[in-house]
Amino acid sequence: MAEQKEGSSVQLHQEDVDKNIGDPLGTPLITQEEKIKPPAAVVGSPSSAVKVEAGQDNGKSSSASSTERHISIQTKLEGLEMLVELNGAGRKACPLCPEEKFKACYSHKLRRHLQNLHWKVYVDFEGQRMCICHLPCRQLKPSLSGDQATGRLVAHYHCVVCSVTIARKTDMISHLKRHVNKGETEASYTGGSDVPFEDPIPIGQAYEIMKELGTNVQLLPNHTTPQKSDTYFNRKMKTNRQLVFCSLAVLAEERNPLECLDAFGATGIMGLQWAKHLRNAVKVTITDINEACVKMIRENCHLNHIRVEGGRVPRHTDATGDVEGLPIASVEVVKMDANVIMHLRPFDYIHLDPFGTAVNYLDAAFRNVRNLGIVSVTSTDTGSLYSKALNVTLRHYSCQIVRTEYYRELAARMVVATIARAAARCNKGIEVLLAVAVEHFVLVVVRVLRGPTQADESAKKVRQLIHCQWCEERVFLKAGSMVEENLYRQLPCNCHGSMPGKTAVELGPLWAGPLFNTGFLRRMLFAAVHHSMDDIQPLVKTLLCESECTTLKSFSTHGHFLHSSQVECGVVIKTLQKAEEATSADQSGKRKSTEESGNVVKKSKPDASLEHPPFYYSIHRHSIRGMNMPKLNKFLQYLTEAGFRVSRTHFDPTGVRTDATLTQFKSVLTKYSVPTYATSSQTGSIGLSAEEGARKVE
């Protein structure tokens, strides 16, 4: 019977080949050897597969790569029962079980077997149900002696997409999810004679159009899975993209046009936002190593009416692909590794946002970055940054850390220290403009200062941190200190005398300098207001208060803080003046020949007293047991009245950044805390006095 089925299928295949040979529509000719070649059989015995004819309506060919499916894949229970003629007389064998596992039986018993064993534990995928199969379809693994194990046959499922066999149901469900994440949702065969054939859906209709900051991007159905998707897009990184955009807008005020690089394009959303809003002030280059990403970036450029310049095409060439109107900007799209393009070309602004850590790209980033340029680094490897994988932390950042109450700032300072060492290897120094650790990422924005002297100054700010494991007091190790003998003596706490064992540990190396620049943050706030970025304005205001270590929240975003010159990163930077300032300068007739908008005038030594204190204390971590703490804003006021500098911190909503020591912090907290059970204790004392009075009466 099986030989007759195979012969009939070969004959049908032969007739189809004969029709294709005589097709007048220009189909390629088929040789005689290919003409007599039978179709490929599925895994297993010939009786374990069903041939399904391909659709031949109007000469259309099926999009499926094969026209065969395993008999365990059915759409209805009737289809599974139709494999065996249950209405006939006599004993019948199960089509999904070998003879040694399930012997031939009568129809009523076989029907129950198919329903309760094979159909009951199916895996559904887009209407196709994969029943469990007991046939010897899987490749048996050889034993230690070299012989194949023949004693036990493993039950399995046949994948509806790729025809692979998987033993466990949960593994098959996970396997199908991976197909969906990759965008593979069509089966590798025609569903069956009872399911009509449908033409494949065009790829453009499967895209999702998303708009962010006036920029449209196309997203694939699997855009949320970075390990399985080619064009990854994370909606939660909107805050990160806006902060990076504001930092670039501030640099564009100093000098333009800027050569800026988005080293990991994915969908190209970040580079497109730069080009669309900053226009001629920037020359954007978006690069990615994946061909699918490059294709998607080009399509998104045309979607936003941005001219695409890729490869070796010069920038002045005309675009040929704009559908509506003239291009509003131009973007260069390059398929190249990030390290390669950063080694080949210089840039003024570089943004690194790989999936995970960015340590593999720091050396190339500082290789050709221009003087006073900016490098922004986004790290999403929170497992190693937040002390959850200490071996990975040591491998990537060469840093020893433990879990502390200030772990977010510890992660930011660890990333900055790694960036500083990478810059120093290229004879460049850095000044930190911004260091943010929110949600699931750490963003660090640094300005590059060229020269070995600047590199030495930056390297000196990378120090070890002494941390007390009992009270979590911390202090940076002073230069030239004997670590082994005087480790605990540098801490202001007395835990080493009152607590047994080793109380202090050495963490690091970490960045010991400031994490924020006030002037740069003020201009970022102005850029956020100018471009209507309402989402990050509260965050930037918090960072501004944190950089000045103050609780004042009176900010003006309309220009009186935009002076003609500002001291940033130890450098006096000439910024763009307003129209009224330029008019008054023209009327006075005084103009310096060396002063232009965006030029660096001189270098000045930064005032160390204005730097914000490192780290912060959590008010809940150091609360007194049995005492009600004051409200956080009230407590900040009490610390200010005590003569300390104090501010909130974005790293922790319950954190307090202050220059007070932990002992002073706790003393103020204890002074203004109220006992929790004050009322109940008073009631108890009243009851006790009444009891004593009763005894006296007796």
Side-chain angles (χ1 to χ4, degrees):
M1 187 66 180
E3 295 177 356
Q4 293 179 357
K5 289 184 179 179
E6 185 175 0
S8 60
S9 62
V10 172
Q11 183 178 0
L12 291 175
H13 180 72
Q14 181 68 28
E15 294 176 358
D16 294 340
V17 170
D18 294 337
K19 291 181 180 179
N20 291 333
I21 292 176
D23 190 2
L25 298 178
T27 54
L29 296 177
I30 302 177
T31 61
Q32 187 68 19
E33 295 179 359
E34 295 176 346
K35 184 175 178 180
I36 63 175
K37 185 178 180 180
V42 295
V43 180
S45 60
S47 62
S48 64
V50 174
K51 311 291 182 176
V52 181
E53 297 181 8
Q56 300 175 3
D57 298 337
N58 299 327
K60 294 182 180 179
S61 61
S62 173
S63 63
S65 59
S66 174
T67 59
E68 303 170 352
R69 72 175 183 185
H70 196 267
I71 59 175
S72 63
I73 303 174
Q74 299 291 335
T75 58
K76 297 179 181 179
L77 177 60
E78 291 76 7
L80 188 62
E81 294 178 350
M82 287 175 59
L83 298 176
V84 183
E85 188 180 357
L86 296 178
N87 297 327
R91 297 176 181 268
K92 302 175 182 61
C94 176
L96 296 179
C97 294
E99 184 68 23
E100 58 269 14
K101 180 175 178 61
F102 186 81
K103 296 182 180 180
C105 60
Y106 291 103
S107 300
H108 66 280
K109 187 176 180 180
L110 181 58
R111 181 180 284 107
R112 287 200 308 267
H113 171 76
L114 293 175
Q115 292 177 357
N116 298 332
L117 177 63
H118 297 286
W119 184 259
K120 191 174 182 179
V121 289
Y122 65 83
V123 178
D124 183 70
F125 181 76
E126 297 185 354
Q128 300 290 334
R129 298 185 176 183
M130 293 159 278
C131 304
I132 192 167
C133 176
H134 292 273
L135 295 174
C137 306
R138 293 173 59 86
Q139 184 70 27
L140 299 179
K141 295 182 180 180
S143 61
L144 296 177
S145 60
D147 300 334
Q148 288 189 346
T150 59
R152 179 172 173 268
L153 299 176
V154 181
H156 55 274
Y157 296 89
H158 290 264
C159 179
V160 70
V161 179
C162 62
S163 302
V164 71
T165 57
I166 297 179
R168 300 180 62 184
K169 181 178 180 179
T170 55
D171 294 341
M172 173 58 74
I173 295 174
S174 302
H175 176 77
L176 293 173
K177 288 181 179 180
R178 287 193 290 269
H179 278 306
V180 174
N181 293 335
K182 292 181 180 180
E184 301 171 356
T185 57
E186 295 183 0
S188 58
Y189 59 87
T190 305
S193 58
D194 56 341
V195 180
F197 175 75
E198 297 180 358
D199 292 332
I201 301 175
I203 298 179
Q205 297 181 7
Y207 290 162
E208 175 187 354
I209 304 298
M210 197 280 307
K211 188 173 184 179
E212 180 181 299
L213 199 63
T215 306
N216 298 320
V217 290
Q218 296 178 350
L219 304 179
L220 290 175
N222 57 349
H223 67 273
T224 58
T225 53
Q227 294 179 341
K228 304 299 179 183
S229 171
D230 294 330
T231 56
Y232 175 62
F233 180 81
N234 191 353
R235 300 176 188 271
K236 296 182 180 180
M237 294 292 284
K238 180 180 179 181
T239 302
N240 178 274
R241 287 188 288 268
Q242 292 185 356
L243 288 173
V244 172
F245 178 87
C246 289
S247 63
L248 178 61
V250 171
L251 184 63
E253 294 178 359
E254 302 173 9
R255 53 184 178 182
N256 56 72
L258 295 176
E259 292 277 353
C260 50
L261 172 67
D262 182 8
F264 300 89
T267 59
I269 176 66
M270 186 171 292
L272 294 178
Q273 289 177 353
W274 298 350
K276 194 166 186 178
H277 292 275
L278 300 179
R279 302 294 179 90
N280 296 329
V282 293
K283 296 180 180 179
V284 182
T285 301
I286 306 176
T287 181
D288 203 291
I289 193 61
N290 197 310
E291 182 66 32
C293 292
V294 174
K295 182 180 179 181
M296 179 67 72
I297 294 170
R298 293 178 183 272
E299 293 178 359
N300 289 332
C301 288
H302 293 298
L303 185 63
N304 293 276
H305 310 296
I306 296 177
R307 183 174 57 190
V308 180
E309 299 178 356
R312 300 182 180 180
V313 180
R315 294 187 178 275
H316 61 272
T317 55
D318 295 332
T320 58
D322 297 306
V323 181
E324 299 178 9
L326 297 176
I328 60 176
S330 62
V331 168
E332 182 180 1
V333 182
V334 181
K335 181 182 179 298
M336 190 178 296
D337 185 75
N339 283 325
V340 175
I341 192 171
M342 288 187 292
H343 273 289
L344 293 177
R345 295 172 49 184
F347 292 97
D348 298 286
Y349 190 97
I350 297 176
H351 177 63
L352 302 176
D353 186 11
F355 178 68
T357 180
V359 294
N360 299 326
Y361 306 95
L362 294 178
D363 290 331
F366 287 99
R367 174 79 175 183
N368 284 329
V369 63
R370 292 191 175 98
N371 189 28
L372 297 179
I374 290 180
V375 175
S376 61
V377 179
T378 300
S379 301
T380 56
D381 54 332
T382 55
S384 58
L385 292 176
Y386 293 163
S387 310
K388 297 179 181 179
L390 299 180
N391 57 329
V392 183
T393 305
L394 184 62
R395 186 197 320 144
H396 287 170
Y397 299 97
S398 302
C399 187
Q400 295 280 358
I401 59 174
V402 295
R403 183 74 173 191
T404 62
E405 63 170 333
Y406 50 93
Y407 66 95
R408 289 185 180 272
E409 184 171 347
L410 197 69
R413 291 185 178 274
M414 182 170 56
V415 174
V416 176
T418 307
I419 294 174
R421 293 197 300 268
R425 288 191 290 268
C426 298
N427 287 334
K428 295 181 178 69
I430 65 167
E431 287 291 342
V432 183
L433 303 176
L434 177 68
V436 178
V438 294
E439 296 177 354
H440 67 286
F441 67 88
V442 176
L443 172 64
V444 175
V445 181
V446 299
R447 190 186 293 272
V448 181
L449 306 176
R450 181 171 294 179
T453 305
Q454 301 292 339
D456 294 340
E457 292 295 328
S458 299
K460 291 179 182 178
K461 295 181 181 179
V462 179
R463 303 178 187 174
Q464 300 294 119
L465 181 72
I466 310 301
H467 171 78
C468 179
Q469 298 185 92
W470 287 98
C471 65
E472 298 208 29
E473 180 65 289
R474 77 291 303 207
V475 65
F476 279 108
L477 184 65
K478 297 180 181 179
S481 301
M482 298 297 294
V483 178
E484 296 296 335
E485 298 179 0
N486 302 327
L487 184 64
Y488 62 89
R489 296 181 181 178
Q490 298 193 24
L491 289 170
C493 63
N494 296 323
C495 296
H496 60 277
S498 58
M499 299 295 178
K502 184 179 179 180
T503 60
V505 293
E506 183 180 1
L507 308 180
L510 303 171
W511 176 259
L515 294 179
F516 312 100
N517 184 272
T518 305
F520 192 84
L521 288 174
R522 286 184 180 273
R523 293 198 286 162
M524 280 187 62
L525 180 59
F526 179 79
V529 174
H530 178 70
H531 294 281
S532 302
M533 298 181 181
D534 299 332
D535 297 335
I536 65 167
Q537 290 182 24
L539 176 59
V540 177
K541 290 179 181 179
T542 303
L543 297 175
L544 195 52
C545 289
E546 193 172 359
S547 65
E548 297 178 343
C549 199
T550 180
T551 56
L552 299 178
K553 294 186 178 181
S554 58
F555 301 102
S556 175
T557 58
H558 296 286
H560 75 267
F561 59 81
L562 292 177
H563 306 293
S564 59
S565 62
Q566 296 188 64
V567 178
E568 294 183 6
C569 310
V571 179
V572 179
I573 298 177
K574 300 295 294 182
T575 59
L576 291 177
Q577 298 181 1
K578 288 189 167 185
E580 58 269 22
E581 294 177 356
T583 305
S584 60
D586 292 339
Q587 291 177 356
S588 61
K590 297 180 180 180
R591 180 179 179 182
K592 296 182 181 180
S593 59
T594 58
E595 291 184 2
E596 294 181 358
S597 176
N599 291 340
V600 178
V601 181
K602 61 179 180 179
K603 295 182 179 180
S604 62
K605 188 175 181 180
D607 190 1
S609 61
L610 298 178
E611 294 181 359
H612 58 273
F615 300 111
Y616 54 89
Y617 301 105
S618 176
I619 187 173
H620 288 287
R621 167 66 175 81
H622 300 286
S623 61
I624 297 93
R625 186 175 183 180
M627 305 284 284
N628 278 336
M629 300 179 300
K631 298 294 183 180
L632 184 56
N633 292 333
K634 282 288 185 181
F635 181 68
L636 296 178
Q637 183 180 352
Y638 297 150
L639 280 175
T640 305
E641 293 173 355
F644 301 109
R645 298 176 60 195
V646 62
S647 71
R648 300 283 293 269
T649 176
H650 80 281
F651 291 111
D652 189 356
T654 64
V656 178
R657 185 179 297 277
T658 177
D659 57 350
T661 61
L662 183 58
T663 305
Q664 296 169 340
F665 182 88
K666 285 185 175 181
S667 64
V668 177
L669 186 61
T670 306
K671 181 180 178 181
Y672 294 98
S673 296
V674 181
T676 306
Y677 304 102
T679 306
S680 61
S681 61
Q682 293 177 3
T683 305
S685 61
I686 293 173
L688 181 61
S689 61
E691 202 175 52
E692 291 177 356
R695 290 178 182 176
K696 289 181 181 179
V697 171
E698 292 178 356

